[in-house]
Amino acid sequence: MKPQDIYILNQPEKYRNMLLHIISVVEHTVPEATLEYKWNIPFFYLNNKPFCFLNVSGKGKYVDVAFSKGFQLKNNLEVLNGDKRNTYKSLRYFSLDTIDNAVLVSVIKEAKSFC
């Protein structure tokens, strides 16, 4: 089993379900992206470059979908979190039903244009 799969399967069900849903959306939207395991978290790569990572924050009780060149994103700024980061911006989800697929797909497509 790959490390990224172990990371996902070891999460509590609430977070595991969110991760699996987000992975499905990313893979459907950007089928050429590859899910790897870097810096102890699942990390999508596109064109051999970091694209976005998935992180469960047990302390903050959310799943972070952080985009590598998030500072270049111009759309959906009202839902993107910069959290004192210089290059990354992320979408934060606290439950499966808070994931807005239209926004997630929109951000993924815009982020893809920077890779």
Side-chain angles (χ1 to χ4, degrees):
M1 192 175 292
K2 296 178 181 179
Q4 58 269 38
D5 297 332
I6 294 169
Y7 175 93
I8 293 161
L9 293 175
N10 283 337
Q11 298 303 322
E13 183 178 5
K14 173 184 175 178
Y15 303 117
R16 184 173 54 245
N17 290 341
M18 285 190 280
L19 288 167
L20 291 171
H21 179 80
I22 294 163
I23 289 167
S24 174
V25 172
V26 173
E27 289 176 341
H28 182 264
T29 308
V30 189
E32 63 273 26
T34 59
L35 183 60
E36 300 181 23
Y37 193 71
K38 303 288 182 177
W39 303 288
N40 296 317
I41 54 174
F43 217 119
F44 275 101
Y45 272 66
L46 185 60
N47 302 321
N48 295 317
K49 296 177 188 171
F51 178 61
C52 71
F53 68 80
L54 310 174
N55 185 45
V56 173
S57 173
K59 187 175 186 179
K61 307 261 188 247
Y62 57 82
V63 171
D64 218 14
V65 184
F67 295 87
S68 298
K69 296 193 177 183
F71 68 96
Q72 294 179 320
L73 298 171
K74 303 294 181 209
N75 301 316
N76 301 293
L77 294 177
E78 68 281 358
V79 293
L80 286 164
N81 187 317
D83 216 21
K84 300 179 186 176
R85 297 174 178 153
N86 291 330
T87 58
Y88 288 88
K89 286 202 178 181
S90 65
L91 296 168
R92 286 199 173 151
Y93 299 113
F94 294 87
S95 66
L96 187 58
D97 62 335
T98 62
I99 298 175
D100 183 333
N101 285 333
V103 170
L104 179 57
V105 169
S106 173
V107 173
I108 291 168
K109 286 181 176 179
E110 185 182 6
K112 179 183 176 186
S113 70
F114 299 116
C115 286

